[in-house]
Amino acid sequence: MPAARSAALPSGVSASSTLRRPARSGLLHARLDSAARADTPPAAPMDVTVRRDGEAEAEILAVWEQYKLCRTAALRERLILHYAPLVAMVASRVGMRLPSSVEHADLVSYGMFGLIDAIEKFEIGRDVKFETYASSRVRGAILDELRAVDWIPRSVRSKARAVDRAHADLEGELHRAPSNTEIAAHMEITESELRGIQGQVANVNLVALDEVLGAGDRIEQVSALDTVQQARSHDPARTFEAKETKFLLSQAMEQLGEREKIMLVLYYYEGMTLAEIGRVLGVTESRISQMHTAAMTRLRTKLTTSEGL
């Protein structure tokens, strides 16, 4: 901590009353952390704090010099434990731009490889702080591992970001959701190319079936698997009900007149309008509407009576 800060404090005012030092991590600072948190008389003045920080820097520098001479596992472990908070900080910054499915602990474990590599290759003789050098190595190790485990090609990721940027720009200009034609024109591509990109991007986002989506009114939690409809599974009760309904409907239609049967087939199976059906049967559209209403009433009555038996 700079000495200028101590000169700015009034006499008799301790540094701990105005500033709270962040908790240190690592085995090297365990004694300093315990002393800082203990219920002791008033904290040391600022010059004592600066002296302690200077002693800590001198101590870690001595560890660096010893490690560069003998490179033992114990010295390397002390360096790793001392700089471990740096890995957590870099992992948090990288994780802010990643989806929630990426665990922070995984990013930290990826970054540890970068920290170890930085410790092995760092040269203490150069006028560069280790934190500056290691931050880029840790971030690079995290990104390299994320690319290695990502099954989506980087080109697809790039296209997805381009589509998102175009959508956001047009939405800000038009104050509404843009159409595919407008997005394609903004990106200077054809609509068919845009549809191809959207088809590739649709396979990018995945959801784990065991991921907990939330809890309902009951105690048990609801996962994504509980919300997926099993299209290939058959419900025996629904299958029997559907067959019974078809059988009862066919029986009820047998009791209709010939013109009413033709009218229902043309309307529900052929998709013709009432006016077109009227021209086929040689009657007016209003008459077809009356026939439709009467036929539906008779079918509904037959089905209701059959279900009540």
Side-chain angles (χ1 to χ4, degrees):
M1 192 172 295
R5 297 291 296 272
S6 62
L9 291 173
S11 60
V13 179
S14 64
S16 61
S17 63
T18 57
L19 296 174
R20 176 172 296 177
R21 293 187 295 110
R24 298 180 178 88
S25 302
L27 296 177
L28 297 176
H29 301 289
R31 184 178 299 176
L32 295 177
D33 287 339
S34 61
R37 295 192 182 98
D39 286 331
T40 57
M46 180 65 72
D47 57 346
V48 177
T49 302
V50 173
R51 192 181 307 117
R52 288 180 177 177
D53 291 341
E55 292 175 356
E57 293 179 1
E59 184 178 0
I60 196 64
L61 180 59
V63 175
W64 270 112
E65 293 175 349
Q66 294 176 15
Y67 177 72
K68 290 302 180 181
L69 291 176
C70 54
R71 291 184 180 273
T72 62
L75 293 174
R76 187 180 70 168
E77 184 177 357
R78 291 181 66 180
L79 293 174
I80 293 174
L81 292 175
H82 178 76
Y83 293 109
L86 176 65
V87 178
M89 181 187 66
V90 175
S92 299
R93 291 178 179 176
V94 175
M96 292 175 60
R97 303 168 62 180
L98 298 176
S100 59
S101 58
V102 179
E103 296 289 341
H104 179 265
D106 294 337
L107 300 180
V108 173
S109 64
Y110 302 155
M112 281 297 177
F113 292 103
L115 175 63
I116 295 173
D117 184 65
I119 291 174
E120 293 290 337
K121 298 179 179 179
F122 181 65
E123 299 179 5
I124 58 177
R126 296 194 175 186
D127 190 18
V128 178
K129 293 187 64 175
F130 176 77
E131 290 83 352
T132 305
Y133 172 76
S135 296
S136 60
R137 306 286 302 198
V138 170
R139 185 176 184 276
I142 294 175
L143 296 179
D144 289 342
E145 191 64 25
L146 288 174
R147 295 189 185 105
V149 300
D150 189 9
W151 63 277
I152 300 297
R154 296 181 62 183
S155 60
V156 177
R157 296 284 186 188
S158 177
K159 292 176 182 178
R161 289 192 294 267
V163 173
D164 291 340
R165 286 195 299 268
H167 189 281
D169 293 343
L170 290 174
E171 193 172 26
E173 295 177 3
L174 304 174
H175 302 288
R176 58 174 176 82
S179 62
N180 286 344
T181 304
E182 294 169 337
I183 295 176
H186 184 80
M187 298 179 63
E188 298 181 353
I189 59 176
T190 63
E191 289 191 51
S192 60
E193 292 175 340
L194 177 62
R195 286 192 294 269
I197 295 175
Q198 291 172 340
Q200 292 177 329
V201 172
N203 298 323
V204 171
N205 298 320
L206 300 178
V207 177
L209 293 179
D210 58 349
E211 180 181 358
V212 177
L213 300 179
D217 298 335
R218 298 175 294 178
I219 299 177
E220 62 269 16
Q221 295 177 330
V222 179
S223 64
L225 181 60
D226 298 328
T227 63
V228 176
Q229 180 182 5
Q230 299 181 359
R232 296 185 178 181
S233 62
H234 299 282
D235 187 356
R238 290 186 177 181
T239 302
F240 177 78
E241 183 179 356
K243 290 182 178 180
E244 185 181 20
T245 301
K246 290 180 180 179
F247 174 74
L248 295 176
L249 182 60
S250 62
Q251 281 192 330
M253 289 190 65
E254 290 296 331
Q255 300 180 13
L256 297 177
E258 190 66 25
R259 292 169 65 87
E260 291 176 329
K261 292 180 183 179
I262 297 175
M263 181 267 301
L264 293 177
V265 169
L266 295 177
Y267 186 74
Y268 288 102
Y269 290 93
E270 300 297 333
M272 298 176 64
T273 63
L274 296 180
E276 294 173 341
I277 297 174
R279 288 194 293 269
V280 171
L281 298 180
V283 295
T284 61
E285 181 179 355
S286 60
R287 176 55 183 162
I288 294 297
S289 177
Q290 295 174 358
M291 291 173 58
H292 178 267
T293 303
M296 295 302 298
T297 302
R298 292 175 59 183
L299 290 176
R300 191 176 296 109
T301 301
K302 293 291 183 180
L303 290 177
T304 304
T305 304
S306 300
E307 291 178 357
L309 295 179

